[in-house]
Amino acid sequence: MTIVRSLPDTNVDSLIISQSFCRLMLQASLAAIPIYLGLFMLAIPFDSDAGVERGLVLFAPIIVFVGASILYSIGFLTPLFNPELEGFNSSDRLRQRVVRRKMTLISLGSILLSVGVLSGALILIKAHL
């Protein structure tokens, strides 16, 4: 699995960099789900009965990780700007719209991923105490 790929020096573009960042963060947020589950299995005894409400609270970080990965995948799949297909007059405006959309999705995904990591860490710490 390739996580980081170097870009050619001649054509470094902010859209390509944000596309690569979305790919990297998508892989990280998807990898966080089995890591959290593995740590959770180590922290909580197998035969413990948490109940429905506590079980949903323990499941919440996974939902947050999935939400972050959905936002990163939308940011990754947003088509890059191609000036040959669009007209020259609308090229700057379309480029700015795509950059703004990608940055919004990256910000929202980063917030969700941070909330998931923090809540998962708190739950795992609380499980040991």
Side-chain angles (χ1 to χ4, degrees):
M1 169 175 36
T2 302
I3 293 177
V4 178
R5 185 181 306 159
S6 65
L7 300 171
D9 293 334
T10 59
N11 197 8
V12 175
D13 190 13
S14 63
L15 288 175
I16 296 172
I17 292 171
S18 65
Q19 186 96 6
S20 298
F21 181 77
C22 282
R23 178 185 302 140
L24 173 69
M25 292 308 293
L26 175 63
Q27 292 171 347
S29 61
L30 288 176
I33 296 170
I35 290 171
Y36 172 75
L37 289 175
L39 290 173
F40 182 73
M41 293 299 288
L42 291 174
I44 305 292
F46 183 70
D47 58 348
S48 67
D49 185 17
V52 175
E53 291 177 0
R54 189 168 178 216
L56 289 175
V57 169
L58 296 174
F59 188 68
I62 295 174
I63 295 170
V64 175
F65 291 142
V66 169
S69 64
I70 288 171
L71 288 173
Y72 284 127
S73 65
I74 292 171
F76 175 68
L77 295 175
T78 300
L80 294 176
F81 173 72
N82 190 357
E84 288 127 14
L85 295 178
E86 284 86 12
F88 183 73
N89 297 335
S90 63
S91 64
D92 194 34
R93 187 178 47 157
L94 288 174
R95 178 181 167 80
Q96 289 176 353
R97 187 181 325 156
V98 169
V99 168
R100 191 172 34 241
R101 183 180 302 145
K102 282 187 178 285
M103 288 300 136
T104 302
L105 290 170
I106 287 172
S107 299
L108 291 174
S110 297
I111 290 169
L112 274 181
L113 186 63
S114 298
V115 167
V117 168
L118 288 175
S119 64
L122 287 174
I123 288 172
L124 290 172
I125 290 172
K126 182 68 175 163
H128 281 290
L129 298 177

